[in-house]
Amino acid sequence: MQRLTSLFLLATNLACTAFAQTVTEDWVATRAGFLSIGVVTTDDGFIYISGCSDLNDDNGFRSEIVTIKYDLDGNAIWERVYDETADATNGTDEPKWITLDPFGNVIVTGESFINSTGDDIFTLKYDPDGNLLWIARNTQGRFASRVA
Protein backbone atom coordinates (compact mmCIF):
# COMPACT_ATOMS: atom_id res chain seq x y z
CA MET A 1 0.00 0.00 0.00
CA GLN A 2 2.84 2.39 0.78
CA ARG A 3 4.41 1.75 -2.62
CA LEU A 4 1.09 2.48 -4.34
CA THR A 5 0.76 5.74 -2.40
CA SER A 6 4.33 6.72 -3.34
CA LEU A 7 3.65 6.03 -7.03
CA PHE A 8 0.44 8.06 -6.86
CA LEU A 9 2.25 11.01 -5.27
CA LEU A 10 5.05 10.80 -7.86
CA ALA A 11 2.54 10.71 -10.72
CA THR A 12 0.59 13.62 -9.21
CA ASN A 13 3.78 15.65 -8.81
CA LEU A 14 4.80 15.00 -12.42
CA ALA A 15 1.33 15.92 -13.70
CA CYS A 16 1.29 19.15 -11.71
CA THR A 17 4.77 20.05 -12.92
CA ALA A 18 3.72 19.45 -16.54
CA PHE A 19 0.81 21.88 -16.22
CA ALA A 20 2.62 24.54 -14.22
CA GLN A 21 2.81 27.92 -15.91
CA THR A 22 5.10 30.83 -15.31
CA VAL A 23 3.22 33.92 -14.21
CA THR A 24 4.60 37.30 -15.24
CA GLU A 25 3.49 40.69 -14.03
CA ASP A 26 2.49 42.94 -16.93
CA TRP A 27 1.36 45.97 -14.95
CA VAL A 28 0.22 47.18 -11.55
CA ALA A 29 -2.42 49.80 -10.89
CA THR A 30 -3.05 51.31 -7.48
CA ARG A 31 -5.51 53.75 -5.96
CA ALA A 32 -4.80 55.14 -2.51
CA GLY A 33 -7.13 53.75 0.14
CA PHE A 34 -8.98 51.48 -2.30
CA LEU A 35 -10.31 48.16 -1.01
CA SER A 36 -11.19 45.86 -3.92
CA ILE A 37 -14.11 43.42 -3.67
CA GLY A 38 -14.07 41.95 -7.15
CA VAL A 39 -12.61 41.85 -10.64
CA VAL A 40 -14.14 40.78 -13.94
CA THR A 41 -12.60 40.64 -17.41
CA THR A 42 -13.96 40.78 -20.93
CA ASP A 43 -12.99 38.60 -23.88
CA ASP A 44 -11.31 41.59 -25.52
CA GLY A 45 -9.06 42.23 -22.53
CA PHE A 46 -10.75 44.97 -20.52
CA ILE A 47 -10.67 44.66 -16.75
CA TYR A 48 -13.30 46.00 -14.36
CA ILE A 49 -12.70 46.29 -10.65
CA SER A 50 -15.03 47.52 -7.93
CA GLY A 51 -14.44 48.32 -4.30
CA CYS A 52 -14.72 50.86 -1.49
CA SER A 53 -13.10 54.24 -1.29
CA ASP A 54 -10.87 55.29 1.55
CA LEU A 55 -12.52 56.38 4.79
CA ASN A 56 -11.18 59.90 5.19
CA ASP A 57 -12.26 63.43 5.94
CA ASP A 58 -12.82 64.19 2.22
CA ASN A 59 -15.92 61.99 2.20
CA GLY A 60 -16.99 62.42 5.82
CA PHE A 61 -15.46 59.09 6.83
CA ARG A 62 -18.07 57.22 4.77
CA SER A 63 -17.10 54.69 2.14
CA GLU A 64 -18.23 55.16 -1.43
CA ILE A 65 -18.41 52.67 -4.29
CA VAL A 66 -15.59 52.94 -6.81
CA THR A 67 -15.69 51.09 -10.14
CA ILE A 68 -12.76 51.33 -12.57
CA LYS A 69 -12.26 50.07 -16.13
CA TYR A 70 -8.69 49.26 -17.28
CA ASP A 71 -7.33 48.35 -20.68
CA LEU A 72 -4.83 45.55 -21.39
CA ASP A 73 -1.91 47.88 -20.65
CA GLY A 74 -3.22 48.89 -17.21
CA ASN A 75 -4.45 52.33 -18.24
CA ALA A 76 -7.61 53.47 -16.47
CA ILE A 77 -10.25 54.06 -19.14
CA TRP A 78 -12.81 55.41 -16.67
CA GLU A 79 -13.48 55.59 -12.96
CA ARG A 80 -16.89 56.05 -11.39
CA VAL A 81 -17.55 56.91 -7.75
CA TYR A 82 -21.06 56.33 -6.49
CA ASP A 83 -22.27 57.87 -3.25
CA GLU A 84 -25.89 57.29 -2.27
CA THR A 85 -27.33 60.79 -1.89
CA ALA A 86 -29.95 59.67 0.65
CA ASP A 87 -27.22 58.71 3.14
CA ALA A 88 -25.47 62.07 3.18
CA THR A 89 -25.41 62.37 6.97
CA ASN A 90 -24.26 58.93 8.12
CA GLY A 91 -24.15 56.50 5.22
CA THR A 92 -21.70 53.91 4.11
CA ASP A 93 -21.89 52.37 0.65
CA GLU A 94 -20.18 49.01 0.10
CA PRO A 95 -20.11 46.93 -3.06
CA LYS A 96 -20.31 43.17 -2.59
CA TRP A 97 -20.14 41.79 -6.13
CA ILE A 98 -19.33 42.80 -9.70
CA THR A 99 -20.26 40.99 -12.90
CA LEU A 100 -20.93 41.60 -16.60
CA ASP A 101 -24.18 40.99 -18.42
CA PRO A 102 -24.23 39.40 -21.91
CA PHE A 103 -24.03 42.86 -23.51
CA GLY A 104 -20.88 43.92 -21.68
CA ASN A 105 -22.65 46.15 -19.16
CA VAL A 106 -21.13 46.26 -15.68
CA ILE A 107 -23.37 45.35 -12.75
CA VAL A 108 -22.34 46.13 -9.17
CA THR A 109 -24.45 45.12 -6.19
CA GLY A 110 -23.97 45.87 -2.53
CA GLU A 111 -25.29 47.59 0.57
CA SER A 112 -25.98 51.16 1.50
CA PHE A 113 -26.77 52.36 4.99
CA ILE A 114 -29.49 55.01 4.94
CA ASN A 115 -30.58 56.66 8.18
CA SER A 116 -34.30 56.22 7.65
CA THR A 117 -34.30 52.61 6.41
CA GLY A 118 -31.06 51.05 7.67
CA ASP A 119 -29.13 48.71 5.40
CA ASP A 120 -30.53 48.68 1.88
CA ILE A 121 -29.51 46.47 -1.03
CA PHE A 122 -28.64 48.32 -4.24
CA THR A 123 -27.63 47.41 -7.77
CA LEU A 124 -25.87 49.76 -10.20
CA LYS A 125 -25.65 49.14 -13.93
CA TYR A 126 -23.05 50.89 -16.11
CA ASP A 127 -22.62 50.59 -19.86
CA PRO A 128 -19.12 49.75 -21.22
CA ASP A 129 -18.40 53.50 -21.52
CA GLY A 130 -19.07 54.07 -17.81
CA ASN A 131 -22.48 55.73 -18.12
CA LEU A 132 -24.78 54.87 -15.22
CA LEU A 133 -27.83 53.24 -16.83
CA TRP A 134 -29.91 52.62 -13.72
CA ILE A 135 -29.96 52.11 -9.97
CA ALA A 136 -32.25 49.65 -8.17
CA ARG A 137 -32.80 49.58 -4.40
CA ASN A 138 -34.51 47.23 -1.99
CA THR A 139 -35.20 48.54 1.49
CA GLN A 140 -36.61 45.21 2.70
CA GLY A 141 -33.41 43.20 2.60
CA ARG A 142 -29.93 43.08 3.94
CA PHE A 143 -26.55 41.60 3.08
CA ALA A 144 -26.41 41.66 -0.68
CA SER A 145 -24.19 38.96 -2.01
CA ARG A 146 -24.21 38.30 -5.74
CA VAL A 147 -25.87 39.05 -9.02
CA ALA A 148 -26.61 36.07 -11.24
Side-chain angles (χ1 to χ4, degrees):
M1 183 65 158
Q2 185 171 356
R3 181 178 172 159
L4 182 59
T5 303
S6 296
L7 287 174
F8 175 75
L9 291 174
L10 177 62
T12 303
N13 187 31
L14 290 174
C16 290
T17 303
F19 291 107
Q21 296 179 355
T22 302
V23 177
T24 59
E25 184 178 281
D26 291 330
W27 54 268
V28 175
T30 60
R31 185 182 192 278
F34 184 72
L35 176 63
S36 168
I37 59 91
V39 176
V40 292
T41 60
T42 63
D43 292 338
D44 53 355
F46 290 103
I47 300 158
Y48 296 91
I49 185 169
S50 192
C52 295
S53 65
D54 192 15
L55 298 174
N56 60 40
D57 194 37
D58 292 340
N59 57 4
F61 295 96
R62 298 181 310 268
S63 64
E64 299 165 342
I65 297 145
V66 180
T67 305
I68 307 169
K69 179 180 182 178
Y70 292 99
D71 67 13
L72 260 172
D73 297 319
N75 301 306
I77 303 299
W78 53 258
E79 178 179 315
R80 300 295 178 262
V81 177
Y82 179 79
D83 184 20
E84 174 59 65
T85 55
D87 69 1
T89 58
N90 191 22
T92 297
D93 305 315
E94 295 181 6
K96 299 294 183 184
W97 191 254
I98 183 171
T99 192
L100 300 173
D101 73 8
F103 305 103
N105 297 308
V106 182
I107 300 171
V108 178
T109 192
E111 298 172 356
S112 182
F113 180 82
I114 299 176
N115 287 333
S116 61
T117 60
D119 285 324
D120 291 354
I121 297 172
F122 71 87
T123 301
L124 308 171
K125 184 174 184 178
Y126 296 98
D127 69 15
D129 294 323
N131 299 306
L132 183 61
L133 300 176
W134 52 258
I135 304 166
R137 289 180 194 83
N138 180 337
T139 60
Q140 304 301 311
R142 191 167 179 212
F143 300 113
S145 178
R146 292 186 177 195
V147 176

PDB file of all heavy atoms in Angstrom, residues 28-52:
ATOM      1  N   VAL A  28       0.829  47.030 -12.865  1.00  0.00           N
ATOM      2  CA  VAL A  28       0.221  47.181 -11.550  1.00  0.00           C
ATOM      3  C   VAL A  28      -0.469  48.533 -11.522  1.00  0.00           C
ATOM      4  O   VAL A  28       0.105  49.532 -11.942  1.00  0.00           O
ATOM      5  CB  VAL A  28       1.280  47.115 -10.419  1.00  0.00           C
ATOM      6  CG1 VAL A  28       0.649  47.402  -9.080  1.00  0.00           C
ATOM      7  CG2 VAL A  28       1.981  45.774 -10.418  1.00  0.00           C
ATOM      8  N   ALA A  29      -1.698  48.545 -11.049  1.00  0.00           N
ATOM      9  CA  ALA A  29      -2.423  49.804 -10.888  1.00  0.00           C
ATOM     10  C   ALA A  29      -2.829  49.925  -9.424  1.00  0.00           C
ATOM     11  O   ALA A  29      -3.256  48.948  -8.819  1.00  0.00           O
ATOM     12  CB  ALA A  29      -3.656  49.831 -11.779  1.00  0.00           C
ATOM     13  N   THR A  30      -2.665  51.107  -8.871  1.00  0.00           N
ATOM     14  CA  THR A  30      -3.045  51.312  -7.476  1.00  0.00           C
ATOM     15  C   THR A  30      -3.920  52.552  -7.362  1.00  0.00           C
ATOM     16  O   THR A  30      -3.887  53.435  -8.218  1.00  0.00           O
ATOM     17  CB  THR A  30      -1.805  51.490  -6.578  1.00  0.00           C
ATOM     18  OG1 THR A  30      -1.072  52.633  -7.029  1.00  0.00           O
ATOM     19  CG2 THR A  30      -0.915  50.267  -6.606  1.00  0.00           C
ATOM     20  N   ARG A  31      -4.704  52.580  -6.310  1.00  0.00           N
ATOM     21  CA  ARG A  31      -5.512  53.754  -5.964  1.00  0.00           C
ATOM     22  C   ARG A  31      -5.450  53.855  -4.455  1.00  0.00           C
ATOM     23  O   ARG A  31      -5.814  52.919  -3.753  1.00  0.00           O
ATOM     24  CB  ARG A  31      -6.951  53.586  -6.433  1.00  0.00           C
ATOM     25  CG  ARG A  31      -7.818  54.815  -6.203  1.00  0.00           C
ATOM     26  CD  ARG A  31      -9.247  54.534  -6.667  1.00  0.00           C
ATOM     27  NE  ARG A  31     -10.066  55.706  -6.743  1.00  0.00           N
ATOM     28  CZ  ARG A  31     -10.690  56.256  -5.709  1.00  0.00           C
ATOM     29  NH1 ARG A  31     -10.560  55.735  -4.498  1.00  0.00           N
ATOM     30  NH2 ARG A  31     -11.450  57.311  -5.863  1.00  0.00           N
ATOM     31  N   ALA A  32      -4.993  54.970  -3.949  1.00  0.00           N
ATOM     32  CA  ALA A  32      -4.799  55.138  -2.512  1.00  0.00           C
ATOM     33  C   ALA A  32      -6.088  54.868  -1.752  1.00  0.00           C
ATOM     34  O   ALA A  32      -7.151  55.379  -2.112  1.00  0.00           O
ATOM     35  CB  ALA A  32      -4.307  56.551  -2.207  1.00  0.00           C
ATOM     36  N   GLY A  33      -6.001  54.027  -0.730  1.00  0.00           N
ATOM     37  CA  GLY A  33      -7.133  53.749   0.137  1.00  0.00           C
ATOM     38  C   GLY A  33      -8.203  52.855  -0.452  1.00  0.00           C
ATOM     39  O   GLY A  33      -9.249  52.665   0.140  1.00  0.00           O
ATOM     40  N   PHE A  34      -7.977  52.289  -1.614  1.00  0.00           N
ATOM     41  CA  PHE A  34      -8.976  51.484  -2.304  1.00  0.00           C
ATOM     42  C   PHE A  34      -8.979  50.055  -1.780  1.00  0.00           C
ATOM     43  O   PHE A  34      -7.931  49.428  -1.657  1.00  0.00           O
ATOM     44  CB  PHE A  34      -8.677  51.500  -3.804  1.00  0.00           C
ATOM     45  CG  PHE A  34      -9.684  50.787  -4.649  1.00  0.00           C
ATOM     46  CD1 PHE A  34     -10.934  51.313  -4.848  1.00  0.00           C
ATOM     47  CD2 PHE A  34      -9.367  49.598  -5.254  1.00  0.00           C
ATOM     48  CE1 PHE A  34     -11.868  50.667  -5.650  1.00  0.00           C
ATOM     49  CE2 PHE A  34     -10.269  48.937  -6.057  1.00  0.00           C
ATOM     50  CZ  PHE A  34     -11.528  49.476  -6.257  1.00  0.00           C
ATOM     51  N   LEU A  35     -10.157  49.538  -1.455  1.00  0.00           N
ATOM     52  CA  LEU A  35     -10.312  48.159  -1.014  1.00  0.00           C
ATOM     53  C   LEU A  35     -11.149  47.424  -2.045  1.00  0.00           C
ATOM     54  O   LEU A  35     -12.355  47.629  -2.149  1.00  0.00           O
ATOM     55  CB  LEU A  35     -10.986  48.100   0.356  1.00  0.00           C
ATOM     56  CG  LEU A  35     -11.302  46.713   0.888  1.00  0.00           C
ATOM     57  CD1 LEU A  35     -10.018  45.917   1.099  1.00  0.00           C
ATOM     58  CD2 LEU A  35     -12.083  46.822   2.175  1.00  0.00           C
ATOM     59  N   SER A  36     -10.516  46.577  -2.839  1.00  0.00           N
ATOM     60  CA  SER A  36     -11.192  45.864  -3.921  1.00  0.00           C
ATOM     61  C   SER A  36     -12.079  44.740  -3.377  1.00  0.00           C
ATOM     62  O   SER A  36     -11.716  44.049  -2.440  1.00  0.00           O
ATOM     63  CB  SER A  36     -10.142  45.275  -4.858  1.00  0.00           C
ATOM     64  OG  SER A  36     -10.740  44.365  -5.734  1.00  0.00           O
ATOM     65  N   ILE A  37     -13.239  44.553  -4.018  1.00  0.00           N
ATOM     66  CA  ILE A  37     -14.110  43.424  -3.674  1.00  0.00           C
ATOM     67  C   ILE A  37     -14.258  42.443  -4.819  1.00  0.00           C
ATOM     68  O   ILE A  37     -14.695  41.339  -4.626  1.00  0.00           O
ATOM     69  CB  ILE A  37     -15.511  43.892  -3.217  1.00  0.00           C
ATOM     70  CG1 ILE A  37     -16.201  44.710  -4.300  1.00  0.00           C
ATOM     71  CG2 ILE A  37     -15.436  44.662  -1.934  1.00  0.00           C
ATOM     72  CD1 ILE A  37     -17.040  43.907  -5.237  1.00  0.00           C
ATOM     73  N   GLY A  38     -13.913  42.860  -6.029  1.00  0.00           N
ATOM     74  CA  GLY A  38     -14.075  41.954  -7.153  1.00  0.00           C
ATOM     75  C   GLY A  38     -13.493  42.483  -8.433  1.00  0.00           C
ATOM     76  O   GLY A  38     -13.336  43.698  -8.609  1.00  0.00           O
ATOM     77  N   VAL A  39     -13.185  41.541  -9.334  1.00  0.00           N
ATOM     78  CA  VAL A  39     -12.612  41.853 -10.637  1.00  0.00           C
ATOM     79  C   VAL A  39     -13.294  40.975 -11.667  1.00  0.00           C
ATOM     80  O   VAL A  39     -13.520  39.786 -11.426  1.00  0.00           O
ATOM     81  CB  VAL A  39     -11.095  41.575 -10.656  1.00  0.00           C
ATOM     82  CG1 VAL A  39     -10.512  41.807 -12.043  1.00  0.00           C
ATOM     83  CG2 VAL A  39     -10.374  42.404  -9.621  1.00  0.00           C
ATOM     84  N   VAL A  40     -13.643  41.558 -12.813  1.00  0.00           N
ATOM     85  CA  VAL A  40     -14.144  40.784 -13.944  1.00  0.00           C
ATOM     86  C   VAL A  40     -13.394  41.233 -15.193  1.00  0.00           C
ATOM     87  O   VAL A  40     -12.914  42.366 -15.270  1.00  0.00           O
ATOM     88  CB  VAL A  40     -15.669  40.939 -14.151  1.00  0.00           C
ATOM     89  CG1 VAL A  40     -16.437  40.308 -13.014  1.00  0.00           C
ATOM     90  CG2 VAL A  40     -16.063  42.385 -14.322  1.00  0.00           C
ATOM     91  N   THR A  41     -13.294  40.334 -16.160  1.00  0.00           N
ATOM     92  CA  THR A  41     -12.598  40.644 -17.406  1.00  0.00           C
ATOM     93  C   THR A  41     -13.500  40.343 -18.592  1.00  0.00           C
ATOM     94  O   THR A  41     -14.405  39.520 -18.509  1.00  0.00           O
ATOM     95  CB  THR A  41     -11.297  39.828 -17.548  1.00  0.00           C
ATOM     96  OG1 THR A  41     -11.619  38.441 -17.537  1.00  0.00           O
ATOM     97  CG2 THR A  41     -10.329  40.139 -16.424  1.00  0.00           C
ATOM     98  N   THR A  42     -13.217  41.021 -19.698  1.00  0.00           N
ATOM     99  CA  THR A  42     -13.958  40.778 -20.930  1.00  0.00           C
ATOM    100  C   THR A  42     -13.094  39.954 -21.870  1.00  0.00           C
ATOM    101  O   THR A  42     -11.873  39.865 -21.703  1.00  0.00           O
ATOM    102  CB  THR A  42     -14.335  42.102 -21.616  1.00  0.00           C
ATOM    103  OG1 THR A  42     -13.132  42.791 -21.990  1.00  0.00           O
ATOM    104  CG2 THR A  42     -15.160  42.978 -20.692  1.00  0.00           C
ATOM    105  N   ASP A  43     -13.722  39.389 -22.897  1.00  0.00           N
ATOM    106  CA  ASP A  43     -12.988  38.595 -23.876  1.00  0.00           C
ATOM    107  C   ASP A  43     -11.973  39.424 -24.657  1.00  0.00           C
ATOM    108  O   ASP A  43     -10.970  38.910 -25.121  1.00  0.00           O
ATOM    109  CB  ASP A  43     -13.956  37.918 -24.857  1.00  0.00           C
ATOM    110  CG  ASP A  43     -14.792  36.839 -24.193  1.00  0.00           C
ATOM    111  OD1 ASP A  43     -14.365  36.317 -23.136  1.00  0.00           O
ATOM    112  OD2 ASP A  43     -15.869  36.519 -24.731  1.00  0.00           O
ATOM    113  N   ASP A  44     -12.231  40.736 -24.787  1.00  0.00           N
ATOM    114  CA  ASP A  44     -11.309  41.595 -25.522  1.00  0.00           C
ATOM    115  C   ASP A  44     -10.272  42.275 -24.628  1.00  0.00           C
ATOM    116  O   ASP A  44      -9.573  43.180 -25.049  1.00  0.00           O
ATOM    117  CB  ASP A  44     -12.060  42.626 -26.367  1.00  0.00           C
ATOM    118  CG  ASP A  44     -13.070  43.432 -25.573  1.00  0.00           C
ATOM    119  OD1 ASP A  44     -13.276  43.150 -24.379  1.00  0.00           O
ATOM    120  OD2 ASP A  44     -13.668  44.361 -26.159  1.00  0.00           O
ATOM    121  N   GLY A  45     -10.167  41.822 -23.373  1.00  0.00           N
ATOM    122  CA  GLY A  45      -9.057  42.234 -22.526  1.00  0.00           C
ATOM    123  C   GLY A  45      -9.292  43.372 -21.556  1.00  0.00           C
ATOM    124  O   GLY A  45      -8.371  43.761 -20.846  1.00  0.00           O
ATOM    125  N   PHE A  46     -10.493  43.913 -21.500  1.00  0.00           N
ATOM    126  CA  PHE A  46     -10.747  44.971 -20.523  1.00  0.00           C
ATOM    127  C   PHE A  46     -10.957  44.360 -19.137  1.00  0.00           C
ATOM    128  O   PHE A  46     -11.423  43.234 -19.005  1.00  0.00           O
ATOM    129  CB  PHE A  46     -11.953  45.817 -20.924  1.00  0.00           C
ATOM    130  CG  PHE A  46     -11.689  46.665 -22.131  1.00  0.00           C
ATOM    131  CD1 PHE A  46     -12.188  46.300 -23.370  1.00  0.00           C
ATOM    132  CD2 PHE A  46     -10.920  47.811 -22.031  1.00  0.00           C
ATOM    133  CE1 PHE A  46     -11.936  47.069 -24.485  1.00  0.00           C
ATOM    134  CE2 PHE A  46     -10.658  48.597 -23.145  1.00  0.00           C
ATOM    135  CZ  PHE A  46     -11.172  48.217 -24.370  1.00  0.00           C
ATOM    136  N   ILE A  47     -10.597  45.124 -18.124  1.00  0.00           N
ATOM    137  CA  ILE A  47     -10.674  44.659 -16.746  1.00  0.00           C
ATOM    138  C   ILE A  47     -11.492  45.662 -15.954  1.00  0.00           C
ATOM    139  O   ILE A  47     -11.231  46.872 -16.011  1.00  0.00           O
ATOM    140  CB  ILE A  47      -9.260  44.537 -16.147  1.00  0.00           C
ATOM    141  CG1 ILE A  47      -8.437  43.545 -16.957  1.00  0.00           C
ATOM    142  CG2 ILE A  47      -9.311  44.150 -14.674  1.00  0.00           C
ATOM    143  CD1 ILE A  47      -6.957  43.707 -16.811  1.00  0.00           C
ATOM    144  N   TYR A  48     -12.480  45.157 -15.236  1.00  0.00           N
ATOM    145  CA  TYR A  48     -13.304  46.001 -14.363  1.00  0.00           C
ATOM    146  C   TYR A  48     -13.056  45.587 -12.927  1.00  0.00           C
ATOM    147  O   TYR A  48     -13.002  44.391 -12.619  1.00  0.00           O
ATOM    148  CB  TYR A  48     -14.793  45.829 -14.669  1.00  0.00           C
ATOM    149  CG  TYR A  48     -15.192  46.284 -16.043  1.00  0.00           C
ATOM    150  CD1 TYR A  48     -15.200  45.410 -17.124  1.00  0.00           C
ATOM    151  CD2 TYR A  48     -15.580  47.600 -16.265  1.00  0.00           C
ATOM    152  CE1 TYR A  48     -15.590  45.826 -18.384  1.00  0.00           C
ATOM    153  CE2 TYR A  48     -15.971  48.028 -17.527  1.00  0.00           C
ATOM    154  CZ  TYR A  48     -15.973  47.127 -18.585  1.00  0.00           C
ATOM    155  OH  TYR A  48     -16.357  47.553 -19.823  1.00  0.00           O
ATOM    156  N   ILE A  49     -12.917  46.558 -12.070  1.00  0.00           N
ATOM    157  CA  ILE A  49     -12.700  46.293 -10.652  1.00  0.00           C
ATOM    158  C   ILE A  49     -13.621  47.214  -9.860  1.00  0.00           C
ATOM    159  O   ILE A  49     -13.857  48.359 -10.246  1.00  0.00           O
ATOM    160  CB  ILE A  49     -11.214  46.496 -10.271  1.00  0.00           C
ATOM    161  CG1 ILE A  49     -10.958  46.107  -8.835  1.00  0.00           C
ATOM    162  CG2 ILE A  49     -10.757  47.900 -10.566  1.00  0.00           C
ATOM    163  CD1 ILE A  49      -9.486  46.020  -8.478  1.00  0.00           C
ATOM    164  N   SER A  50     -14.177  46.698  -8.774  1.00  0.00           N
ATOM    165  CA  SER A  50     -15.029  47.518  -7.929  1.00  0.00           C
ATOM    166  C   SER A  50     -14.618  47.334  -6.485  1.00  0.00           C
ATOM    167  O   SER A  50     -14.138  46.273  -6.090  1.00  0.00           O
ATOM    168  CB  SER A  50     -16.503  47.139  -8.121  1.00  0.00           C
ATOM    169  OG  SER A  50     -17.338  48.100  -7.522  1.00  0.00           O
ATOM    170  N   GLY A  51     -14.814  48.381  -5.702  1.00  0.00           N
ATOM    171  CA  GLY A  51     -14.444  48.321  -4.295  1.00  0.00           C
ATOM    172  C   GLY A  51     -14.889  49.568  -3.565  1.00  0.00           C
ATOM    173  O   GLY A  51     -15.667  50.376  -4.078  1.00  0.00           O
ATOM    174  N   CYS A  52     -14.368  49.727  -2.352  1.00  0.00           N
ATOM    175  CA  CYS A  52     -14.717  50.856  -1.487  1.00  0.00           C
ATOM    176  C   CYS A  52     -13.622  51.913  -1.527  1.00  0.00           C
ATOM    177  O   CYS A  52     -12.445  51.593  -1.608  1.00  0.00           O
ATOM    178  CB  CYS A  52     -14.860  50.399  -0.038  1.00  0.00           C
ATOM    179  SG  CYS A  52     -16.209  49.267   0.241  1.00  0.00           S
TER     180      CYS A  52
END
